[in-house]
Amino acid sequence: MSEPTVPLISASPKPALPPWKRHAILTVVAVLFVLAIVAIHTEIHHLSVHKIYAELRALSLEQILLALAGVAISYLAVTGYDTLALRYAGKPLAYARTAFASFTSYALSNTLGLPLLTGSAVRYRLYSSWGLTGQEIGVHAVITGVTLYVGALAIGGTGLLVEAARFETVFHIPAALAYLLGAACLIAVCTFLFLAGQRGRTRHIRSVDFTTPGLPVATGQLLVSMADWAGASLVLFAVLPPDTGLSYLAFLPVFVAACFIGGISGLPGGVGVFEAVILLMVPTQSNEALAASLIAYRVLYYLIPLGVAATLLAMHQVPHAGAQLKGAAARAQDITEIFAPTLFSVIAFVAGAFMLISATTPTLAGPLEAAGRILPLPVIELSHFLASIVGVLLLIVALGLRQKLDHAWTIGMILLVLGIGLTLLKGADPHEAVLLAVSLGLLATSRKAFYRKTPLSQARLNLPWVLAILGAISAAVWLGFFSYEHVAYRDELWWSFSVNGQTSRFLRATAALPIVLLLVSLWRWLQPAIGKGIPSDPVDPATLKQILTTAEFGYSDGALALLGDKQFLMSPSGQSFIMYGVRGRHWIAMSEPVGKRDEIAPLLWTFREQADLYGADPVFYSVRKEFLPLALDLGLTAQKIGETALVPLAKFSLEGPARSGLRASHKRALRDGLSFDVIPQGACDDMLPTLHTISDEWLDIHGGAEKSFSLGRFDPDYIRNFPIAVARLDGNIVAFANLMSTSDGREMAIDLMRYGHAAPKGVMDFLFIELMLWGKEKGVQAFDLGMAPLSGLEGHRLATLTSKLGAFVYEHANKIYGFEGLRNYKKKFDPDWEPLYLVAPAGLSLPIALGDVAILTSGGLKGMFTKG
């Protein structure tokens, strides 16, 4: 095969699915799963579970070895996908690396479902650490994905053509139709080879542009794909009952169809859907034998490779002194920690489901009777009951493992130890305890991957995981009812205790499952939300003042750090900080970081890492557009929340027709006897009682209460930190505002704006005008009048839902809040409108973060409905 040139590849971003589409997909998946379960139940509801066990035990060694050969062929073939694709990309790697990446990623993706997406994601982590770019990995995913399905068409079409007569005999499908379908499949394959063989042509598939590989590479990928399908189908064919009447070639189209339909369902490994198709399409006199074949297939092709992949990844978790000295091995070590949460959450979930199924189905008579001769009956009964509870808890703990919680790792270890002991004490087959012990040993190797300090009660539930837990429990209960359907129900079964009373133990275990779920739900509901940030010593206000006076980065609202209501993350030098508050699952930073410019990016990453460590999401509130590149680097997304009014003081004056309104208002205030002056910082102690009275009168006038976090409050210790602008009437202070500014004086803003009952109308206009003229004299470049909430949000039909909702509220809620009136008031000073953003993780976290910000800045839920 000739060495191809490096392809020209470009990837275009793929927009995320909107929430309603994701929910619709989940609904379709759930419906397909239910329909599959109904189909399976219809086919095997009359079967005996004891006969299924007997058929499993009756599988011969020759059948098992032939099936394992199929497993080896299939997983060996998938390494060929990666080898050829990497050669096409001009980035060949050592086969050992390629085989490791291929086998582990496919073993995981086959079990988790959506193999193109999950497998590509796993390989991306590995290959990117070995020097491949995202574009090269993208074309790799496209090539392997396309040839996977083209290989299925090739091998399925061959089976249809060669065994058309048998299809007419077995399935009563006219041979002519089988020939037609087979020919159509092979025509599609030939079309693929023709298009791929036009080397150098640009194609566009799945948001990736790439040049076609040429006939040698395309043919090689096709042969590898056919070998993959041939091996996978051989696994199930080897353990099928002998009376199906299907030859291997005739079975191939049936297997391909079952895999396609299972893949469309979106369920992990097509579980349930694949089995339903096989049960409906494969003819046999013994459905018990066919059910046993499907169980054996799942174990041989899915669970054994998954266990081997878990072992390989776990081995990479163990430090190797010599290998760690080499950069590549060190990177591989880091990558395995990335996969550990997903891998071990699957292992814990499977272990929990395994214990549930064991608790709800009959135990083999031999081990149970042996346990009865050694252990007291109450021990067996209690162990069986507790084992079902441990199984449910493992399903829940698996979610915490997926989210990297250290408590979940500890509890998972404890539950697996308990599971091993209870499995042995209840009289189950010792092999069950061995499987749990293997899971325990694998989990023990991955301690470092679970680093988040969040309690397990704070693990974030999501709809897919809830469906998975309910699906596992429902499947276990259904298997139990299926196993004992020939036992007539009697009330005495609930309190009947005997070694052979397996139906009674099933009923008691089944009753325990919803009770445990209810108790866990109540426990989670009663837990307080995350309410603390990074444990640290209080920051000396003098340190904050020093940073504010020398800061190279930050805006005038950085002075809100002196309010005393925030927590701080300091840079190692102590010359920069992020101020934040905690609400719900969010660490909400107020405005941009403040301090040395070259310390900002590392400080942001530390904040992101610390939030992740405690299971929280970082949020930055009221940041300007200059911050957005930093936010994108952090992997966050931005939502516009309003605009701030920045008056350029260099061109501000009261002259000209455009300023006639301000000029008239200013002259009227002077005629009323108002005067203006600025009290220097720290010189307001004698006036504090008067200022406090004015502040209380202002709150009374507006019928509100003090806010917090993003606005100052009247606190003598806080007020002393700022110059105070005052308006006097006949020498008495009637209004005031404290002044915040940047370290270089380029920007000035007001925080508290208060006036009392004695203040004449227009006093705030007068105060603002005088402040701007005073600031202009001092060389201030911009005067910040503050935010106009929801101003400037886009209401276009293609805008985000959050933006459209904000625009709607801005337009229709003026009677309640006066959004437009507030903007119009500031507009008369002719400001430049600077957009303000909320930065947070994408997805549902963004609207939830908006709610948490609203509560935090209002001083609590009650404050949201109180004027301030």
Side-chain angles (χ1 to χ4, degrees), residues 652-707:
F652 179 78
S653 74
L654 296 179
E655 304 300 324
R659 304 290 187 177
S660 59
L662 291 179
R663 190 165 56 248
S665 177
H666 187 254
K667 289 180 179 179
R668 184 169 55 251
L670 292 174
R671 286 197 303 269
D672 290 340
L674 287 173
S675 62
F676 167 84
D677 68 294
V678 176
I679 302 169
Q681 176 184 340
C684 64
D685 283 3
D686 294 342
M687 304 173 187
L688 283 176
T690 301
L691 300 182
H692 199 173
T693 299
I694 292 173
S695 178
D696 289 343
E697 290 179 355
W698 185 87
L699 291 173
D700 181 62
I701 292 171
H702 290 82
E706 296 281 20
K707 302 297 184 181

Side-chain angles (χ1 to χ4, degrees), residues 11-327:
S12 55
K14 190 174 183 179
L17 289 175
W20 71 268
K21 284 189 178 180
R22 291 197 297 270
H23 294 157
I25 291 172
L26 287 173
T27 302
V28 171
V29 169
V31 169
L32 287 173
F33 181 72
V34 171
L35 292 176
I37 293 300
V38 171
I40 294 172
H41 179 77
T42 302
E43 288 295 314
I44 67 173
H45 73 279
H46 59 284
L47 305 184
S48 166
V49 69
H50 296 286
K51 291 183 179 179
I52 294 177
Y53 291 155
E55 292 290 348
L56 275 171
R57 291 194 298 271
L59 290 174
S60 67
L61 178 61
E62 290 79 6
Q63 287 180 288
I64 299 298
L65 291 177
L66 183 58
L68 289 175
V71 174
I73 292 170
S74 178
Y75 281 96
L76 182 62
V78 299
T79 67
Y81 286 135
D82 292 46
T83 301
L84 291 175
L86 290 172
R87 287 191 65 191
Y88 163 66
K91 295 285 185 176
L93 296 174
Y95 181 73
R97 281 186 172 182
T98 306
F100 173 75
S102 301
F103 174 74
T104 53
S105 61
Y106 274 102
L108 286 172
S109 62
N110 282 346
T111 303
L112 296 176
L114 296 175
L116 287 177
L117 298 179
T118 55
S120 297
V122 170
R123 285 193 298 272
Y124 177 83
R125 295 288 188 179
L126 287 168
Y127 288 139
S128 61
S129 70
W130 292 333
L132 272 70
T133 67
Q135 292 179 335
E136 290 162 345
I137 298 169
V139 79
H140 168 279
V142 170
I143 293 174
T144 56
V146 170
T147 52
L148 175 72
Y149 290 105
V150 174
L153 292 175
I155 203 165
T158 301
L160 286 167
L161 287 177
V162 175
E163 293 287 356
R166 192 182 296 268
F167 269 82
E168 186 168 17
T169 303
V170 177
F171 297 110
H172 306 293
I173 295 176
L177 179 58
Y179 280 122
L180 182 62
L181 291 174
C185 291
L186 294 185
I187 289 173
V189 173
C190 292
T191 302
F192 162 77
L193 292 175
F194 173 76
L195 295 175
Q198 297 175 343
R199 187 170 176 175
R201 297 288 295 274
T202 299
R203 304 292 180 189
H204 180 84
I205 300 178
R206 294 179 59 83
S207 303
V208 176
D209 293 327
F210 63 98
T211 55
T212 50
L215 191 59
V217 174
T219 304
Q221 286 279 3
L222 176 60
L223 293 175
V224 165
S225 178
M226 293 178 67
D228 177 19
W229 283 100
S233 58
L234 180 60
V235 179
L236 180 54
F237 182 78
V239 294
L240 283 179
D243 63 345
T244 61
L246 292 175
S247 66
Y248 176 60
L249 287 177
F251 175 68
L252 287 175
V254 176
F255 181 83
V256 168
C259 288
F260 267 48
I261 296 172
I264 292 171
S265 72
L267 293 163
V271 63
V273 177
F274 175 86
E275 282 77 6
V277 174
I278 294 295
L279 286 168
L280 291 171
M281 294 185 66
V282 175
T284 180
Q285 298 297 317
S286 175
N287 279 336
E288 286 94 347
L290 187 55
S293 301
L294 289 168
I295 294 172
Y297 168 72
R298 286 288 178 183
V299 172
L300 293 168
Y301 191 71
Y302 288 88
L303 297 185
I304 290 179
L306 177 65
V308 174
T311 303
L312 291 174
L313 289 174
M315 289 171 62
H316 278 271
Q317 291 286 101
V318 179
H320 298 284
Q324 285 186 333
L325 295 177
K326 301 178 181 179

